[in-house]
Amino acid sequence: VAQERKEIWQKERYRLISEVDNIVVFDYSPSDDVMTFTKKRPGQPSVDEVHQGYLKNMESRTYYIHPDDLPNLRQHLLVACQESCNGSFEFMGRYFSDEYRWQRLRYVSVGDENGQVYRIVGCIDDVNDERILHNQLQQRAQRDGTTGLMNKDTGRISIENALQDMPEDQVDAVLFVDLDNFKNINDSLGHMEG
C-alpha cells in the first residue's frame, strides 16, 4: 500500500507541477528519442505535445528554439543521455510567445542502478524580463552614464581581449588622452558641456 501511494503521489506531483502557469515541463526518453512537453498558459488547460525523433530531428525545432541555440541544446541533451546529471542553460525560444524571448531550461537525467540514463526531465521558464534587467545593470556598471563610454576597467578588459585575439602580424594602436584639470570644466560648465 505504501509503495502504491508513493507511485500515485509521484504521478500527482508531476501533474501539479505541469499545471503551474507559464512553465513548460518536459520528459525525454533517450531510448526511443521521444520528447513530451506539457505546456500551461494562464487561463488555459495543460497541453501535451509529443515529438518523435526529437534529437535526431533537432534542426526542425527552430520554431521553438533559435537556430543559434540548437547546438547548445543538443550538447546538453547528449551529455545528459550519457550519465545521470543536472544542468541548466539560457536560450532564445518561443515557448511562451510568438517572438523569441530569453528562456531558461533546467533538467535532470535519471539513470537506473547500472547508470543507464532512461529519462531526462525538467522545465523551461521565461526569464526574458530578468535577463533584460541583468543586461541593463551590467551596462550601467560598465559604462559612463553621461557619455556612454566604457569605464576604465571595462576599457582595459576590452583592450586586453582584443590584443589576445589579434593575429601576431597585425599592427594596431591605442591612444590614451589624459586631460589635466578636466574636472574644472565639468564643474564650471556642467557634464554635458564637458
Side-chain angles (χ1 to χ4, degrees):
V1 173
Q3 182 63 25
E4 188 176 306
R5 278 190 191 152
K6 184 178 179 182
E7 289 176 13
I8 290 170
W9 171 242
Q10 293 291 349
K11 291 177 182 177
E12 181 68 5
R13 185 170 63 175
Y14 180 76
R15 185 191 64 75
L16 290 170
I17 290 170
S18 68
E19 289 184 2
V20 173
D21 285 345
N22 287 330
I23 190 171
V24 174
V25 177
F26 64 88
D27 180 355
Y28 178 69
S29 172
S31 62
D32 54 6
D33 195 19
V34 174
M35 178 72 84
T36 302
F37 291 102
T38 302
K39 300 177 185 179
K40 175 74 170 81
R41 291 193 175 174
Q44 299 178 3
S46 296
V47 176
D48 285 344
E49 285 185 11
V50 178
H51 299 271
Q52 304 288 334
Y54 189 80
L55 195 56
K56 180 181 174 189
N57 300 314
M58 182 68 70
E59 289 72 30
S60 68
R61 310 291 175 226
T62 57
Y63 177 78
Y64 288 115
I65 302 165
H66 193 278
D68 293 345
D69 293 319
L70 281 174
N72 195 16
L73 173 61
R74 177 187 293 280
Q75 185 61 34
H76 277 269
L77 270 177
L78 289 172
V79 168
C81 287
Q82 298 301 313
E83 60 186 0
S84 293
C85 64
N86 61 57
S88 69
F89 67 96
E90 292 182 2
F91 65 97
M92 293 296 284
R94 295 197 285 204
Y95 284 100
F96 300 97
S97 74
D98 292 331
E99 296 179 15
Y100 286 115
R101 294 173 54 88
W102 282 107
Q103 294 166 8
R104 181 179 298 127
L105 182 140
R106 292 175 288 163
Y107 64 90
V108 61
S109 58
V110 183
D112 61 20
E113 60 277 354
N114 298 319
Q116 183 72 32
V117 173
Y118 62 90
R119 276 289 195 261
I120 302 170
V121 295
C123 64
I124 302 170
D125 299 299
D126 186 303
V127 294
N128 199 65
D129 294 341
E130 176 185 324
R131 184 71 180 254
I132 288 171
L133 178 61
H134 172 79
N135 290 345
Q136 288 171 345
L137 292 173
Q138 187 174 28
Q139 182 81 357
R140 287 183 198 162
Q142 295 176 343
R143 297 193 174 263
D144 178 78
T146 305
T147 65
L149 297 174
M150 290 182 200
N151 63 26
K152 180 180 175 182
D153 290 336
T154 304
R156 180 185 51 77
I157 291 169
S158 179
I159 290 169
E160 287 173 358
N161 290 340
L163 290 173
Q164 284 180 347
D165 295 341
M166 188 173 71
E168 288 185 30
D169 60 340
Q170 183 175 330
V171 178
D172 283 331
V174 176
L175 174 66
F176 286 98
V177 178
D178 184 14
L179 301 176
D180 292 332
N181 301 317
F182 195 75
K183 182 181 181 317
N184 295 337
I185 294 172
N186 282 340
D187 290 345
S188 62
L189 300 176
H191 287 278
M192 293 309 289
E193 292 296 323

